[in-house]
């Protein structure tokens, strides 16, 4: 099988490597047939990553929990650098996956590279759905429930699904974290959810800026207590304009100003060279 490194202008599909070489057909059988694993998604700009250390900690922690094996951060950085070199990119969207096929004793690391992405501007509409992920602290591929409810939300004219536990307890977006503004501080739902890297960076940055965020139970029937909301993930953040029939207005520009502060906190955080 012949492999060609793509140019920066020709990446219709992700460029995929397994353990430091262009993925072969045999390599791709691993995620296709033994998809139990974990991953992290990150944005690279000029070979630098915001929150790189947190991404490496996420991979290491998940690998030990799932496979009882370490996943060395130095190895991961080397694999990302090599994939970027062979893809011919300095700016990119990167995913790093860990798998352990039956009978193997070393984690197989798959790196996918595609063109960089950022969250498009504009308010989002979320459809609340009755679904909460099992083992939510581990980020993993093949989430049927999230994809299913995200599809239903899109068909109903919404931008994303909002996952809720029994009792209408808000947990997280299908592919994002969600935060609320109560007029004085950012409120994160105090419920089982994946702590996204951008969320973690915002928590740290807000605390350092003297505006610490808080964790508090948020329910669908209590949304009226909040002046606004926003979502965030590795691609950035965006305001939420409505959840189901609950509208979040911005007549006085308060949420615009809050979003500006959040963006400044996020962009002001350090980046790390791969």
């Amino acid at each position: 099988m012949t492999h060609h490194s793509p140019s920066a202008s020709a990446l219709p599909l992700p460029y995929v490597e397994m353990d430091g070489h262009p993925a072969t057909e045999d390599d791709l059988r691993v995620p296709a047939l033994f998809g139990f694993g974990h991953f992290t998604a990150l944005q690279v700009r000029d070979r630098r990553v915001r929150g790189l250390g947190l991404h490496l900690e996420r991979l290491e922690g998940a690998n030990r929990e799932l496979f009882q094996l370490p996943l060395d951060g130095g190895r991961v950085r080397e694999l990302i650098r090599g994939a970027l070199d062979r893809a011919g990119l300095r700016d990119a969207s990167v995913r790093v996956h860990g798998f352990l096929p039956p009978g193997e004793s070393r984690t197989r690391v798959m790196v996918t590279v595609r063109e960089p992405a950022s969250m498009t501007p504009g308010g989002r509409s979320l459809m609340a759905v009755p679904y909460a992920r099992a083992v939510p602290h581990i980020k993993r591929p093949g989430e049927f429930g999230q994809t299913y409810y995200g599809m239903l939300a899109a068909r109903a004219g919404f931008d994303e699904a909002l996952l809720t536990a029994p009792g209408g307890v808000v947990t997280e977006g299908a592919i994002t974290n969600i935060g609320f503004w109560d007029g004085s501080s950012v409120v994160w739902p105090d419920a089982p959810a994946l702590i996204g890297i951008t969320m973690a960076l915002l928590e740290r940055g807000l605390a350092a800026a003297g505006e610490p965020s808080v964790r508090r139970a948020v329910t669908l029937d209590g949304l009226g207590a909040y002046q606004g909301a926003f979502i965030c993930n590795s691609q950035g953040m965006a305001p939420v304009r409505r959840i189901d029939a609950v509208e979040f207005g911005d007549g006085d520009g308060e949420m615009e100003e809050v979003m500006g502060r959040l963006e400044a906190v996020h962009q002001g955080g350090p980046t790390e060279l791969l």
Side-chain angles (χ1 to χ4, degrees):
M1 186 174 181
T2 303
H3 302 279
H4 300 283
S5 293
S7 68
S9 60
L11 284 174
L13 294 173
Y15 170 65
V16 183
E17 292 201 350
M18 184 72 81
D19 296 325
H21 61 259
T24 64
E25 291 177 4
D26 282 343
D27 289 329
L28 294 176
R29 289 190 177 95
V30 172
L33 301 176
F34 309 107
F36 181 78
H38 61 95
F39 79 100
T40 196
L42 49 97
Q43 291 294 318
V44 180
R45 298 295 184 270
D46 196 26
R47 297 301 177 96
R48 303 186 73 89
V49 178
R50 184 167 281 107
L52 177 60
L54 294 176
H55 284 286
L56 298 179
E57 288 175 14
R58 167 188 280 173
L59 292 169
E60 166 77 4
N63 211 68
R64 286 187 179 276
E65 182 169 345
L66 296 183
F67 307 139
Q68 297 186 305
L69 291 172
L71 185 54
D72 179 65
R75 178 189 173 202
V76 171
R77 293 170 83 144
E78 181 181 350
L79 292 174
I80 297 173
R81 287 197 301 267
L84 290 170
D85 286 342
R86 285 178 283 277
L89 295 176
R90 294 190 65 81
D91 299 341
S93 299
V94 173
R95 289 191 175 197
V96 181
H97 296 252
F99 300 104
L100 187 66
E104 299 197 17
S105 59
R106 189 179 192 221
T107 305
R108 303 291 302 276
V109 179
M110 183 174 76
V111 177
T112 69
V113 177
R114 64 195 322 162
E115 292 189 353
S118 57
M119 196 170 285
T120 55
R124 300 299 200 274
S125 59
L126 307 183
M127 184 177 85
V129 300
Y131 178 76
R133 297 186 307 119
V135 199
H137 63 284
I138 292 183
K139 188 176 181 71
R140 66 284 183 126
E143 284 287 353
F144 177 88
Q146 286 167 267
T147 303
Y148 174 76
Y149 282 112
M151 176 184 70
L152 291 187
R155 288 176 179 173
F158 291 84
D159 296 304
E160 190 184 352
L162 177 66
L163 310 185
T164 64
V169 174
V170 174
T171 63
E172 57 191 325
I175 57 171
T176 58
N177 286 114
I178 186 166
F180 295 85
W181 177 250
D182 67 0
S184 60
S185 62
V186 169
V187 177
W188 305 102
D190 186 12
L194 178 73
I195 306 284
I197 303 303
T198 298
M199 174 182 168
L201 291 172
L202 286 173
E203 281 193 300
R204 293 182 180 187
L206 287 167
E211 300 183 62
S213 56
V214 299
R215 302 279 183 93
R216 186 185 305 155
V218 178
T219 58
L220 293 175
D221 60 8
L223 294 179
Y226 298 98
Q227 282 71 59
F230 66 95
I231 55 171
C232 61
N233 63 15
S234 64
Q235 296 184 13
M237 61 192 78
V240 173
R241 60 182 176 83
R242 74 179 173 112
I243 297 174
D244 292 341
V246 177
E247 300 274 352
F248 294 104
D250 195 24
D252 58 1
E254 182 180 12
M255 261 322 277
E256 184 177 352
E257 196 242 331
V258 170
M259 293 302 298
R261 295 208 305 273
L262 290 172
E263 188 65 33
V265 165
H266 186 238
Q267 292 299 323
T271 62
E272 300 172 63
L273 186 65
L274 283 166

